[in-house]
Amino acid sequence: MTWNLDNNMPIYLQLMDRIQRDIISGRYGPGDKLPSVRELAVEAAVNPNTMQKALSELERRGLVYSQRTSGRFITEDEELLKELKREQAAGYLAEFMANMHNLGLKDEEIRALFEEAMEGEKEE
C-alpha cells in the first residue's frame, strides 16, 4: 500500500494520520499487533526515528499500546475507535460541505446530489 507523503506537513503527523485511518477503517483490528517500527518505516519509506515518533504519539493518545518484548498493539477500547471514526467522518463531511459551498451550491442542492449519489451506490 502506497504512503503518499508530502512536504507541506510534518511527516510524523502524516504517518500518524495514515496509521489511525488504517486502524479505524479496520485494516488493523482491536488487539492486533502492529508491524515493527522498522517494517512500517520501510513500507512508508521514512526514517525509523520518524516512525517511532508517530507511534509514540499514537501510544500517548491511547490508540496503541506497547508490551515490552512483544511490540505494539491496537487498543481494544472499541468506544475510542468508534469515536475516532466518527470524528474522522465529521472532518471529511465538513471539508466536503465547504467545497460544495465554495462551488456555490445551497444545502438543498447538496442534499439532492448526495441522495442521488447514494441511490447510485445502492444500484451497483
Side-chain angles (χ1 to χ4, degrees), residues 31-116:
D32 283 356
K33 185 177 192 288
L34 280 172
S36 72
V37 170
R38 277 188 172 35
E39 290 171 318
L40 287 169
V42 167
E43 183 181 325
V46 298
N47 184 299
N49 291 331
T50 305
M51 184 59 74
Q52 176 64 37
K53 183 175 182 177
L55 291 171
S56 293
E57 184 61 24
L58 289 172
E59 191 171 337
R60 190 183 71 73
R61 292 181 181 187
L63 195 54
V64 301
Y65 64 92
S66 291
Q67 289 189 338
R68 272 180 102 167
T69 58
S70 302
R72 283 193 171 91
F73 295 83
I74 306 304
T75 184
E76 294 178 21
D77 183 347
E78 294 196 27
E79 285 303 312
L80 173 63
L81 297 173
K82 283 180 189 176
E83 180 61 23
L84 288 172
K85 184 180 278 194
R86 194 188 76 52
E87 287 175 11
Q88 188 88 38
Y92 289 149
L93 283 172
E95 183 178 349
F96 169 79
M97 291 299 292
N99 287 333
M100 295 299 104
H101 288 139
N102 286 338
L103 288 174
L105 295 171
K106 305 267 188 275
D107 287 349
E108 278 306 313
E109 294 171 301
I110 297 167
R111 187 174 290 111
L113 285 170
F114 186 77
E115 287 173 2
E116 187 178 306

Side-chain angles (χ1 to χ4, degrees), residues 4 28 68 70 90 121:
N4 297 320
Y28 301 117
R68 272 180 102 167
S70 302
E121 286 288 316

